[in-house]
Amino acid sequence: MSLANVVVIGAQWGDEGKGKITDLLSRSADVVVRYQGGVNAGHTIVVDGQVLKLHLIPSGILYPDTICLIGSGTVVDPKVMLGELDMLLELGIDVSGLKLASTAHVTMPYHRLLDQAMEQRRGDRRIGTTGRGIGPTYADKSERNGIRVIDLLDRDRLRERLEGPLAQKNELLQTIYGLEPLDSEAVIAEYASYGERLAPHVVDCTRAIHQAARNRKNILFEGAQGTLLDLDHGTYPYVTSSNPVSGGACIGAGVGPTLIDRVIGVAKAYTTRVGEGPFPTELEGSLNDHLCDRGHEFGTTTGRRRRCGWFDGVIGRYAVEVNGLDCLAITKLDVLDELDEIQVCIAYELEGERIEHFPSSSEDFARCRPIYKSMPGWQSSTADCRRLEDLPPAAMAYLRFLAELMEVPIAIVSLGASRDQTIVVEDPIHGPKRALLSA
């Protein structure tokens, strides 16, 4: 089987089901790399009826021979990571293959406090953050004022690194937000203890990746969140604080673009969004409730109810462009099983004009009204389909239309949460690039 290094990204606003698809593709991967985001991302995997919810650890950890790397582009809450490690150990899962970049930045307790306080202060202008401290962690990283994993391994170095930032953050917490200051000795003791437990997993991540590449290993790069939440290319300011797009894999993992062979996008058969911000195809009332309830649309990280809407082909085409997608995985097709009619957004109307591109202005985006194509539903269960020919003709027609609209073939169709509820049209990693379901 030929070498292939693949990036898996979310083609919408996150929550597309990347965890399941990454888990599926990890069977062909020797190394899985998480390259950005933090505990604001979450993915749920169902294996043999066992539901696993992970935020930092790649789902490839379920395969004993797969090395899982958390790259430098991530921000790590060590308390959460250790909690996930303990959960996996209790389930008898081997975690010796988990590796953590020594240069990844650490989410500290003041990051969480500031994130929550700033979001509350925004009032009606809130962004809808998870309150997990991700933005402030990345801000400190950019300001060259952050704490890295390597700093947790030496108590004296941690004390020296924390002296300035902690004094500054305590002043902010007290003066601006009226909160109690953090005790420096308590913070040092807590995070040094995290460092002791994490030490066996800490590596030079970039070196490990390039060594794997030299040894002709298959590497899978896993993005968190989704394209429309990208800091530079998403619906700013209602975005995350990192780069979930495929190009972020190069920065967050420390590799050049020539190492990437394929990019696979994951999209739901409809669209969801968590938090604030414009959402042209958002539904209200019974249809929204139907999609939310059938799709179990509640955030893995926050438990918040997701906003649901019809599939948006405009943002889909945009995701294809900015990520350079080779193929798609369409998830949750089964959620549409009971509908007699399905709408697909093919363009927007903005101030009386039809547009087929994603506007760069969030104000313009908020004024966009969807232009729909109506398609018949299939009103029969797809949950037990395991081959394309098992799908109802209307479901096949829907998938072919999405492939035509997005101008990219579909390689995988997911019909439920379990591993086996999946149709793999063609090997999306090693198969011919265009020998897939297309228009």
Side-chain angles (χ1 to χ4, degrees), residues 97-287:
L98 178 66
K99 308 299 178 185
L100 171 62
S102 59
T103 49
H105 279 248
V106 177
T107 296
M108 303 297 291
Y110 46 77
H111 292 136
R112 291 189 296 271
L113 291 171
L114 287 170
D115 192 2
Q116 294 160 17
M118 287 188 292
E119 182 74 345
Q120 185 176 12
R121 183 67 64 90
R122 291 185 185 107
D124 292 340
R125 297 174 63 86
R126 64 187 181 276
I127 296 170
T129 76
T130 61
R132 303 299 176 93
I134 308 304
T137 308
Y138 275 114
D140 274 1
K141 176 180 179 177
S142 296
E143 291 179 358
R144 300 172 295 278
N145 202 27
I147 304 298
R148 302 192 299 175
V149 168
I150 197 169
D151 298 326
L152 305 185
L153 307 185
D154 183 308
R155 187 181 288 255
D156 291 336
R157 180 167 57 201
L158 178 60
R159 184 185 303 277
E160 179 183 346
R161 292 275 197 272
L162 261 178
E163 183 179 2
L166 190 53
Q168 179 193 60
K169 304 305 180 187
N170 273 339
E171 185 175 358
L172 272 175
L173 290 170
Q174 286 181 284
T175 307
I176 304 299
Y177 298 108
L179 299 173
E180 291 296 316
L182 294 165
D183 179 83
S184 61
E185 290 303 316
V187 172
I188 291 167
E190 179 183 359
Y191 279 74
S193 70
Y194 295 152
E196 290 177 10
R197 286 201 59 196
L198 290 173
H201 299 279
V202 177
V203 298
D204 181 334
C205 185
T206 301
R207 183 181 176 190
I209 293 170
H210 285 280
Q211 184 63 54
R214 282 192 293 272
N215 292 335
R216 300 194 63 77
K217 302 295 186 182
N218 292 324
I219 305 171
L220 180 65
F221 298 89
E222 175 187 10
Q225 288 96 28
T227 299
L228 275 296
L229 291 178
D230 188 273
L231 180 61
D232 293 298
H233 305 290
T235 50
Y236 192 89
Y238 304 101
V239 294
T240 192
S241 301
S242 59
N243 294 108
V245 295
S246 60
C250 296
I251 298 169
V255 301
T258 53
L259 192 69
I260 308 300
D261 296 304
R262 286 197 178 182
V263 183
I264 300 173
V266 185
K268 280 177 183 164
Y270 50 102
T271 310
T272 63
R273 181 168 195 172
V274 171
E276 307 300 320
F279 182 2
T281 67
E282 183 172 12
L283 294 166
E284 296 180 353
S286 60
L287 266 175

Side-chain angles (χ1 to χ4, degrees), residues 2-45:
S2 61
L3 172 73
N5 299 323
V6 177
V7 182
V8 179
I9 62 92
Q12 294 162 323
W13 274 285
D15 308 309
E16 301 96 345
K18 294 185 298 298
K20 176 183 174 178
I21 302 304
T22 304
D23 174 62
L24 175 72
L25 298 177
S26 294
R27 293 183 300 186
S28 301
D30 301 301
V31 179
V32 179
V33 184
R34 165 77 180 275
Y35 61 83
Q36 49 75 225
V39 298
N40 56 336
H43 49 263
T44 302
I45 308 156

